[in-house]
Short mmCIF file of all heavy atoms in Angstrom, two decimals:
data_model
loop_
_atom_site.label_atom_id
_atom_site.label_comp_id
_atom_site.label_asym_id
_atom_site.label_seq_id
_atom_site.Cartn_x
_atom_site.Cartn_y
_atom_site.Cartn_z
N ARG A 36 4.29 42.06 29.64
CA ARG A 36 4.52 41.27 30.84
C ARG A 36 3.55 41.57 31.98
O ARG A 36 3.45 40.77 32.92
CB ARG A 36 5.97 41.47 31.30
CG ARG A 36 6.95 40.69 30.42
CD ARG A 36 8.35 41.28 30.39
NE ARG A 36 9.22 40.49 29.52
CZ ARG A 36 9.21 40.55 28.19
NH1 ARG A 36 8.39 41.37 27.58
NH2 ARG A 36 10.03 39.79 27.48
N SER A 103 9.81 38.02 39.50
CA SER A 103 10.24 37.68 38.15
C SER A 103 10.11 38.85 37.18
O SER A 103 10.90 38.96 36.23
CB SER A 103 9.43 36.49 37.62
OG SER A 103 8.05 36.79 37.63
N LEU A 104 9.15 39.73 37.40
CA LEU A 104 8.96 40.85 36.50
C LEU A 104 10.15 41.80 36.50
O LEU A 104 10.58 42.29 35.44
CB LEU A 104 7.69 41.62 36.87
CG LEU A 104 6.37 40.93 36.53
CD1 LEU A 104 5.21 41.69 37.14
CD2 LEU A 104 6.20 40.82 35.02
N LEU A 105 10.70 42.09 37.68
CA LEU A 105 11.83 43.04 37.76
C LEU A 105 13.05 42.54 36.98
O LEU A 105 13.57 43.26 36.12
CB LEU A 105 12.17 43.30 39.22
CG LEU A 105 11.17 44.15 40.01
CD1 LEU A 105 11.57 44.24 41.47
CD2 LEU A 105 11.07 45.55 39.40
N PRO A 106 13.56 41.32 37.24
CA PRO A 106 14.71 40.87 36.45
C PRO A 106 14.38 40.69 34.97
O PRO A 106 15.26 40.87 34.11
CB PRO A 106 15.09 39.53 37.10
CG PRO A 106 13.90 39.09 37.86
CD PRO A 106 13.21 40.32 38.29
N ALA A 107 13.11 40.36 34.65
CA ALA A 107 12.74 40.17 33.25
C ALA A 107 12.85 41.49 32.48
O ALA A 107 13.42 41.54 31.39
CB ALA A 107 11.33 39.61 33.16
N VAL A 108 12.29 42.56 33.04
CA VAL A 108 12.36 43.85 32.38
C VAL A 108 13.81 44.34 32.31
O VAL A 108 14.25 44.88 31.28
CB VAL A 108 11.46 44.88 33.10
CG1 VAL A 108 11.67 46.27 32.53
CG2 VAL A 108 10.00 44.47 32.98
N LEU A 109 14.55 44.15 33.38
CA LEU A 109 15.96 44.54 33.39
C LEU A 109 16.77 43.78 32.33
O LEU A 109 17.73 44.30 31.79
CB LEU A 109 16.57 44.35 34.77
CG LEU A 109 16.10 45.32 35.85
CD1 LEU A 109 16.68 44.92 37.22
CD2 LEU A 109 16.49 46.75 35.51
N THR A 110 16.38 42.55 32.05
CA THR A 110 17.06 41.77 31.01
C THR A 110 16.86 42.41 29.64
O THR A 110 17.80 42.50 28.84
CB THR A 110 16.53 40.33 30.99
OG1 THR A 110 16.71 39.74 32.29
CG2 THR A 110 17.27 39.50 29.97
N VAL A 111 15.63 42.85 29.37
CA VAL A 111 15.38 43.54 28.10
C VAL A 111 16.20 44.82 28.03
O VAL A 111 16.77 45.15 26.97
CB VAL A 111 13.88 43.84 27.94
CG1 VAL A 111 13.61 44.60 26.65
CG2 VAL A 111 13.07 42.54 27.96
N VAL A 112 16.27 45.55 29.14
CA VAL A 112 17.06 46.77 29.18
C VAL A 112 18.54 46.47 28.92
O VAL A 112 19.23 47.18 28.18
CB VAL A 112 16.89 47.47 30.54
CG1 VAL A 112 17.83 48.67 30.66
CG2 VAL A 112 15.44 47.90 30.74
N ALA A 113 19.05 45.38 29.52
CA ALA A 113 20.47 45.04 29.41
C ALA A 113 20.83 44.53 28.03
O ALA A 113 21.98 44.62 27.60
CB ALA A 113 20.85 44.02 30.48
N MET A 114 19.86 43.96 27.32
CA MET A 114 20.15 43.39 26.00
C MET A 114 20.65 44.46 25.03
O MET A 114 21.56 44.22 24.23
CB MET A 114 18.90 42.72 25.45
CG MET A 114 19.01 42.27 24.00
SD MET A 114 20.33 41.06 23.74
CE MET A 114 19.50 39.58 24.28
N TYR A 115 20.06 45.65 25.09
CA TYR A 115 20.41 46.67 24.08
C TYR A 115 21.88 47.07 24.13
O TYR A 115 22.55 47.06 23.09
CB TYR A 115 19.51 47.90 24.23
CG TYR A 115 19.75 48.88 23.12
CD1 TYR A 115 19.16 48.68 21.88
CD2 TYR A 115 20.60 49.97 23.28
CE1 TYR A 115 19.39 49.56 20.82
CE2 TYR A 115 20.84 50.83 22.24
CZ TYR A 115 20.24 50.62 21.01
OH TYR A 115 20.50 51.48 19.96
N PRO A 116 22.43 47.47 25.30
CA PRO A 116 23.84 47.87 25.27
C PRO A 116 24.80 46.76 24.89
O PRO A 116 25.82 47.01 24.23
CB PRO A 116 24.10 48.36 26.72
CG PRO A 116 22.99 47.79 27.53
CD PRO A 116 21.83 47.68 26.61
N THR A 131 16.78 43.43 20.84
CA THR A 131 15.95 43.87 21.96
C THR A 131 14.47 43.65 21.68
O THR A 131 13.71 43.22 22.55
CB THR A 131 16.21 45.35 22.27
OG1 THR A 131 17.63 45.54 22.47
CG2 THR A 131 15.48 45.77 23.53
N LEU A 134 13.68 39.89 22.03
CA LEU A 134 13.58 39.49 23.43
C LEU A 134 12.32 40.05 24.06
O LEU A 134 11.65 39.38 24.85
CB LEU A 134 14.81 39.98 24.20
CG LEU A 134 14.84 39.61 25.70
CD1 LEU A 134 14.78 38.10 25.89
CD2 LEU A 134 16.10 40.18 26.35
N TRP A 139 8.64 32.67 25.24
CA TRP A 139 9.20 32.02 26.45
C TRP A 139 9.48 33.06 27.52
O TRP A 139 9.12 32.86 28.69
CB TRP A 139 10.49 31.29 26.07
CG TRP A 139 11.16 30.71 27.30
CD1 TRP A 139 10.93 29.50 27.85
CD2 TRP A 139 12.15 31.35 28.12
NE1 TRP A 139 11.72 29.34 28.98
CE2 TRP A 139 12.47 30.46 29.16
CE3 TRP A 139 12.80 32.60 28.06
CZ2 TRP A 139 13.42 30.77 30.15
CZ3 TRP A 139 13.73 32.90 29.05
CH2 TRP A 139 14.02 31.99 30.07
N HIS A 140 10.12 34.15 27.16
CA HIS A 140 10.50 35.13 28.16
C HIS A 140 9.27 35.80 28.76
O HIS A 140 9.24 36.07 29.97
CB HIS A 140 11.44 36.16 27.53
CG HIS A 140 12.25 36.91 28.54
ND1 HIS A 140 11.93 38.19 28.95
CD2 HIS A 140 13.34 36.56 29.26
CE1 HIS A 140 12.81 38.59 29.86
NE2 HIS A 140 13.67 37.62 30.06
N SER A 144 8.35 35.52 32.64
CA SER A 144 8.31 36.79 33.36
C SER A 144 7.07 36.88 34.25
O SER A 144 7.10 37.54 35.30
CB SER A 144 8.28 37.96 32.35
OG SER A 144 9.41 37.94 31.52
N VAL A 151 14.05 33.47 35.03
CA VAL A 151 14.52 34.51 34.13
C VAL A 151 15.79 35.21 34.63
O VAL A 151 16.47 35.88 33.86
CB VAL A 151 13.42 35.58 33.92
CG1 VAL A 151 12.25 35.00 33.15
CG2 VAL A 151 12.96 36.17 35.24
N ALA A 152 16.12 35.03 35.90
CA ALA A 152 17.24 35.77 36.48
C ALA A 152 18.59 35.38 35.88
O ALA A 152 19.44 36.28 35.66
CB ALA A 152 17.27 35.60 38.00
N PRO A 153 18.91 34.10 35.62
CA PRO A 153 20.22 33.79 35.04
C PRO A 153 20.50 34.51 33.74
O PRO A 153 21.65 34.91 33.48
CB PRO A 153 20.15 32.26 34.83
CG PRO A 153 19.19 31.78 35.85
CD PRO A 153 18.16 32.86 35.92
N LEU A 154 19.47 34.71 32.91
CA LEU A 154 19.68 35.41 31.64
C LEU A 154 20.11 36.86 31.89
O LEU A 154 20.97 37.38 31.18
CB LEU A 154 18.41 35.36 30.81
CG LEU A 154 18.48 35.99 29.41
CD1 LEU A 154 19.54 35.30 28.57
CD2 LEU A 154 17.12 35.93 28.73
N LEU A 155 19.53 37.49 32.88
CA LEU A 155 19.93 38.86 33.22
C LEU A 155 21.40 38.91 33.60
O LEU A 155 22.15 39.78 33.10
CB LEU A 155 19.07 39.39 34.36
CG LEU A 155 19.52 40.71 35.00
CD1 LEU A 155 19.51 41.83 33.98
CD2 LEU A 155 18.64 41.05 36.19
N PHE A 156 21.82 38.01 34.46
CA PHE A 156 23.21 38.05 34.91
C PHE A 156 24.17 37.66 33.78
O PHE A 156 25.30 38.16 33.73
CB PHE A 156 23.40 37.12 36.11
CG PHE A 156 22.87 37.72 37.40
CD1 PHE A 156 21.59 37.44 37.83
CD2 PHE A 156 23.66 38.57 38.14
CE1 PHE A 156 21.10 38.00 39.00
CE2 PHE A 156 23.18 39.14 39.32
CZ PHE A 156 21.89 38.85 39.76
N MET A 157 23.74 36.78 32.87
CA MET A 157 24.61 36.43 31.76
C MET A 157 24.80 37.63 30.83
O MET A 157 25.93 37.95 30.43
CB MET A 157 24.01 35.27 30.96
CG MET A 157 24.88 34.85 29.77
SD MET A 157 24.25 33.45 28.83
CE MET A 157 22.92 34.24 27.92
N ILE A 158 23.70 38.31 30.47
CA ILE A 158 23.81 39.46 29.57
C ILE A 158 24.63 40.57 30.21
O ILE A 158 25.49 41.18 29.57
CB ILE A 158 22.41 39.95 29.18
CG1 ILE A 158 21.73 38.93 28.28
CG2 ILE A 158 22.46 41.31 28.49
CD1 ILE A 158 20.29 39.26 27.93
N ALA A 159 24.37 40.84 31.51
CA ALA A 159 25.10 41.90 32.18
C ALA A 159 26.57 41.56 32.29
O ALA A 159 27.45 42.41 32.06
CB ALA A 159 24.50 42.13 33.58
#
Side-chain angles (χ1 to χ4, degrees):
R36 284 154 181 78
S103 58
L104 287 171
L105 289 175
V108 172
L109 288 175
T110 303
V111 178
V112 174
M114 172 60 81
Y115 187 81
T131 306
L134 181 59
W139 175 87
H140 200 259
S144 301
V151 292
L154 183 60
L155 169 62
F156 283 95
M157 180 178 76
I158 291 175

